[in-house]
Amino acid sequence: MKRQKVRKAIQLVSLLIFPITLNYFSPYLIIQGSFEGVLTGSGVLFAALFLFSLVFGRAFCGWLCPAGGLQELCTGIVDKPAGKWQDKIKFFIWIPWFAAILSGFVAAGGLKRIDIVYYTESGISVSAPAGYIVYFSVVGLILVLALTLGRRSFCHCSCWIAPFIIIGDFVKERLRIPALRLQGDAGRCVNCGSCDRNCSMSLPVGNMVKSGEMFHRECILCGVCADSCPKNAIRLYMGMKQHKEPAVVVTQRSQSLKGK
């Protein structure tokens, strides 16, 4: 479980410096900047996270995201699985938002400059009392969703960054790029349910192991399922996708061998 202690420590640091980094995650400043032909710090970050996902999938969400760190703290208060219906909501938010950004650059006549610290005095997001209104509004939204709808519900419902990473994750799978992945061993699985109970994103990890398909667009590669499995049936690794036989095939082969 040492890996999980390190992961949680990194997320805690990310959360503590959120008042500094808030504008670099801003969905509003990127739209405002686009109508001036300016690519803001958040725009650069979102593009970088798309590229990051080509190798590391959604590991940013599981290891580095301040919103993720805040939501995991909430599980100490409300630890219930998030509903499956939540996953598509963020795309209904993201599509018109992304369209607005593109429209802004078109209206401005294209990209004119890149300004990492756009509307960010001295590079610090919350540098004046008024900044805390935005900061606590964002934190409040994250808290309300996590405490009412279940584990990491902000990630499922409202995160404007996740679609960039999910698209990159799909591209990674299509291009068969060596990347950070999960691998399941159906032969080792004893159906204890530990992976399902502990999954940060409330995914059916046990079924994924049995089917032999460990890729899921909502998986944040936090490694909790691997570290909580008593039989080491799941592992987090870097490399090419390794196809594993589903549990039913493994069982049939085992029975065939016994018959002989």
Side-chain angles (χ1 to χ4, degrees):
M1 297 297 286
K2 181 179 179 181
R3 175 165 58 191
Q4 293 307 313
K5 291 180 179 179
V6 171
R7 184 181 72 86
K8 290 180 179 181
I10 294 172
Q11 283 200 317
L12 179 59
V13 172
S14 179
L15 176 59
L16 291 174
I17 64 173
F18 196 28
I20 298 174
T21 62
L22 177 64
N23 283 356
Y24 305 104
F25 296 96
S26 173
Y28 170 73
L29 287 181
I30 189 174
I31 294 179
Q32 180 176 314
S34 71
F35 280 91
E36 299 175 18
V38 178
L39 183 63
T40 65
S42 53
V44 172
L45 178 63
F46 300 158
L49 288 177
F50 171 80
L51 297 176
F52 178 89
S53 67
L54 296 177
V55 178
F56 297 102
R58 289 190 64 181
F60 171 82
C61 307
W63 290 75
L64 298 168
C65 180
L70 179 57
Q71 289 175 95
E72 293 204 7
L73 289 177
C74 290
T75 59
I77 304 172
V78 176
D79 188 16
K80 66 178 182 178
K84 294 180 181 179
W85 58 270
Q86 299 178 27
D87 295 342
K88 296 180 181 179
I89 295 177
K90 58 179 169 285
F91 289 97
F92 287 102
I93 298 172
W94 183 81
I95 291 173
W97 170 73
F98 189 62
I101 295 170
L102 296 179
S103 299
F105 280 114
V106 171
L111 176 63
K112 297 177 180 178
R113 63 188 175 93
I114 298 174
D115 187 352
I116 302 295
V117 292
Y118 179 82
Y119 273 79
T120 307
E121 185 178 347
S122 303
I124 299 174
S125 301
V126 183
S127 57
Y132 281 100
I133 297 175
V134 177
Y135 173 74
F136 284 118
S137 296
V138 173
V139 169
L141 172 63
I142 297 170
L143 287 174
V144 168
L145 291 175
L147 294 175
T148 58
L149 299 181
R151 292 196 294 264
R152 280 186 173 258
S153 283
F154 175 78
C155 298
H156 287 285
C157 291
S158 304
C159 182
W160 51 88
I161 303 174
F164 287 105
I165 305 177
I166 290 172
I167 293 170
D169 211 9
F170 270 111
V171 172
K172 173 203 74 180
E173 292 298 301
R174 293 291 181 270
L175 297 180
R176 302 179 184 274
I177 298 173
L180 187 64
R181 306 175 187 277
L182 283 176
Q183 180 184 18
D185 187 340
R188 286 177 174 267
C189 180
V190 293
N191 301 314
C192 68
S194 177
C195 54
D196 290 346
R197 289 192 301 272
N198 290 288
C199 178
S200 301
M201 294 296 284
S202 309
L203 303 180
V205 185
N207 290 339
M208 292 161 61
V209 173
K210 294 168 193 170
S211 69
E213 178 54 73
M214 296 300 293
F215 175 76
H216 193 293
R217 74 181 186 190
E218 295 299 326
C219 175
I220 57 174
L221 296 170
C222 60
V224 172
C225 57
D227 293 331
S228 64
C229 179
K231 298 297 181 179
N232 298 317
I234 306 170
R235 74 183 182 102
L236 193 63
Y237 74 101
M238 177 69 75
M240 297 295 293
K241 186 173 183 178
Q242 299 179 15
H243 295 280
K244 283 289 183 179
E245 293 177 316
V248 64
V249 175
V250 174
T251 303
Q252 289 173 348
R253 181 171 295 177
S254 177
Q255 291 175 343
S256 177
L257 290 173
K258 288 180 180 179
K260 293 181 180 179

